[in-house]
Amino acid sequence: MDGRRTAVHSGRMDLAHSLAEDEFEPALTHLATASAGLLPLSAARAVHEAVDASAAGAPPDMFGAMEAARASFARLVGVSAERVATGSSVATFTGLIASSLPDGAEVLTAEGDFSSLVNPFHVRPGLTVRTVPLERIAEHVTEATALVAVSAVQSADGRRADLAAVREAARAHGARTLIDASQAAGWDTLDADAYDYTVAVGFKWLLCPKGTAFLTVPAGLGAPPPLLAGWVAGRLPYESCYGPVTEPARSARRYDESPALFSWAGAPQALALLERVGTEAVGAHDVALAERFRERLTRAGHAPVPAPGSAIVSVPGLGERAKALGERGITVSDRAGMLRAAFHLYNTESDVDRLAAALGG
């Protein structure tokens, strides 16, 4: 790394630390971003102000806030805002894509991947779902595969998919790709343009209120019919309030769910914070803390799941200790019998050391 890049990175990290101090006031040691991120104070204020103004009969422009969030997310993942749809959950968007596949289509998924990503394909009649180990998913793509659906980072244990290999294998066999970035977007650099579809909830690493989610689609909008289309998905929404929506939006907005507007009121502030710091700087901070925790665990005789370059650390056999840690003011998760710690912008080395000491490290 040359001197200029080092200086830029250092400046970003200084900004990250400053914003973390200004924007977050955790009452506990929060190491559970993989479950839910902390809401920045500016986002919380925006939600409160929207609620109070609505109670007074003068609601703010929350549709405008949603459009600002759409544009911000688009910049974070490297596509135009016209390719981003907004909604409330990964399962809703995955179900939309599942509905577009022809009968007999094969969907390739990874073992133990998150239910919101894989379940819609299992319940859609007429599809064949093939499940293989995460590490071998690329080599299992065949000419029969219509879609590869996989999480960029596994929820349970933080393992990262080899997305480059998945992309190349899918391209070689004419398959489409769906990447769930819920455990990656916000700290791990994601080029959504490299895949047919990506989905992500907003309330984890993107720090948005719950009830926010994003879908990116190809430049040509892809195959799904706009099954979620209510009036907001029309090209001219206020002319699409009655009867069928005769002209869907000419962008990915045609796939929008009718929004839970108070959730979107706080999303632009959260995403703007991540844009100011930059995904690369956030990721470097998060991963450095995770590596520090892995080293402390290893010295203490524990064996975390190997997940190089991940901001999530999971430790088999320690999941039952999550409750006791919570009682001591350290919030972690119990997933699949593993203790899961997730490190983000607002965490520090002292948070790592506090958790490691509590585990005997």
Side-chain angles (χ1 to χ4, degrees), residues 12-333:
R12 288 280 190 174
M13 294 309 299
D14 289 343
L15 176 61
H17 295 152
S18 175
L19 289 175
E21 290 177 356
D22 293 341
E23 283 280 7
F24 300 99
E25 292 183 349
L28 305 171
T29 300
H30 185 78
L31 299 172
T33 298
S35 295
L38 295 180
L39 198 62
L41 297 178
S42 57
R45 283 194 298 270
V47 174
H48 282 294
E49 289 168 1
V51 171
D52 290 342
S54 296
D61 180 12
M62 290 178 279
F63 280 104
M66 183 175 70
E67 292 308 318
R70 188 196 311 270
S72 188
F73 178 80
R75 289 189 294 269
L76 283 169
V77 300
V79 298
S80 68
E82 287 72 27
R83 291 175 57 184
V84 177
T86 61
S88 62
S89 72
V90 163
T92 298
F93 283 138
T94 304
L96 178 69
I97 294 167
S99 73
S100 73
L101 297 174
D103 286 345
E106 177 188 275
V107 180
L108 185 64
T109 65
E111 292 175 350
D113 214 331
F114 200 75
S115 298
S116 294
L117 175 65
V118 300
N119 191 61
F121 299 110
H122 284 271
V123 300
R124 154 70 209 280
L127 297 182
T128 298
V129 182
R130 191 157 55 94
T131 302
V132 300
L134 175 69
E135 294 78 8
R136 300 182 60 192
I137 192 166
E139 67 187 73
H140 279 275
V141 181
T142 71
E143 297 297 332
T145 306
L147 179 75
V148 184
V150 65
S151 291
V153 176
Q154 289 294 299
S155 171
D157 55 26
R159 288 176 300 149
R160 302 175 67 183
D162 186 347
L163 294 184
V166 168
R167 181 179 66 245
E168 293 307 312
R171 183 177 298 166
H173 292 91
R176 291 200 162 194
T177 48
L178 166 62
I179 306 302
D180 183 351
S182 295
Q183 297 291 5
W187 71 268
D188 195 12
T189 302
L190 175 71
D191 178 12
D193 191 46
Y195 311 98
D196 294 289
Y197 305 102
T198 69
V199 290
V201 293
F203 66 87
K204 297 180 186 292
W205 307 90
L206 293 171
L207 307 175
C208 297
K210 288 192 175 183
T212 55
F214 301 92
L215 165 72
T216 68
V217 301
L221 300 185
L227 294 179
L228 308 178
W231 71 280
V232 299
R235 187 176 73 85
L236 300 171
Y238 287 98
E239 295 182 16
S240 301
C241 297
Y242 305 104
V245 177
T246 57
E247 189 176 2
R250 296 171 184 174
S251 67
R253 189 168 57 78
R254 65 172 52 195
Y255 300 123
D256 278 13
E257 285 185 81
S258 292
L261 286 174
F262 289 122
S263 295
W264 290 102
Q269 295 79 8
L271 296 170
L273 188 158
L274 291 171
E275 282 198 87
R276 286 184 66 190
V277 178
T279 301
E280 183 178 352
V282 174
H285 171 82
D286 294 1
V287 172
L289 295 181
E291 292 298 336
R292 182 183 181 92
F293 183 47
R294 289 189 183 94
E295 291 172 5
R296 292 285 300 267
L297 286 169
T298 301
R299 290 204 302 266
H302 299 299
V305 174
S310 181
I312 298 172
V313 182
S314 290
V315 194
L318 296 184
E320 63 182 14
R321 298 185 64 173
K323 182 178 179 180
L325 288 166
E327 293 170 351
R328 296 175 58 176
I330 305 173
T331 306
V332 291
S333 306

